[in-house]
Amino acid sequence: MVVEIISVGTELLMGSILNTNAQHIAKKLAHMGLDSYYQTVVGDNPERLRAALDVAFSRADCVVTTGGLGPTKDDLTKEMLISYFGCTPTEDPEALRRLEERAARRGTPLSTSMRKQATVPSGAIVLQNDNGTAPGVIIERDGRACIMLPGPPKEMIPMFETACSSFLRGKSDKVFISVNLKLYTMAEKGLPVGESPVADRLGSLVDGENPTVATYAKEDGVLVRVTAAAPAPAEARSLLAPVVAAAKDAIGEEYIKYVEED
């Protein structure tokens, strides 16, 4: 399955907040062996969101959206997706109960704007929000799927784990596991450990397809990442072991600060 990420929020486009949601989702998709080739950020505008969905579904089977599920007028993601998929809006009883209980604890009536968060597409899987007010949903129709998640990371992250368990993990036939070799910096060891010398030392290892070996220049030292794909974690680790050993030999143990599985 190919999954695309659409982050909704004018504050993201303006640089007011950092898009950590997309980073978190992308890493999780990679670990599950799900392909993701594009990410899009779009403002709180229904026409532009619809256009972004058209493009995303032209090249992906599933779209994960974050943001735009709240009670304010510019929270339009859910309404847009209901229209996009031709679903009938319906009120989820459990989401409504949670909203009513929250209002009662605060001693205030449930407002119309807050109540709209309980509206979901008919036939969707509802992801209840244990850390906020707006539930997420999973729509699957005509060979396309969409997972709608709230924008605040404290709400999005646990809800995405629920979506993974209930939907996404069943769509992958492989897992990805990486081992990172972090190298010392020149300041730490006085050793020539820049990216180019490291790549030269690795030689033909960087041409492998599974596992793959890649180098990354970081401010705190070069990172060498060895990644394997397999149907199960144990098989991936079996593929990794000889290549990691070869990479360590090629680089030299004195250059390696630490090794960790990612």
Side-chain angles (χ1 to χ4, degrees), residues 216-233:
Y216 301 91
K218 305 285 187 178
E219 289 186 2
D220 60 345
V222 176
L223 181 73
V224 178
R225 178 172 291 138
V226 186
T227 303

Side-chain angles (χ1 to χ4, degrees), residues 5 8 17 50 69 73 83 99 111 118 134 145 147 158 175 177 193 196 213 223 242 246:
I5 303 166
V8 183
I17 61 172
R50 179 178 287 274
L69 301 185
K73 289 184 178 180
S83 171
L99 289 167
S111 66
I147 301 172
V175 296
I177 293 181
V193 289
S196 181
V213 179
L223 181 73

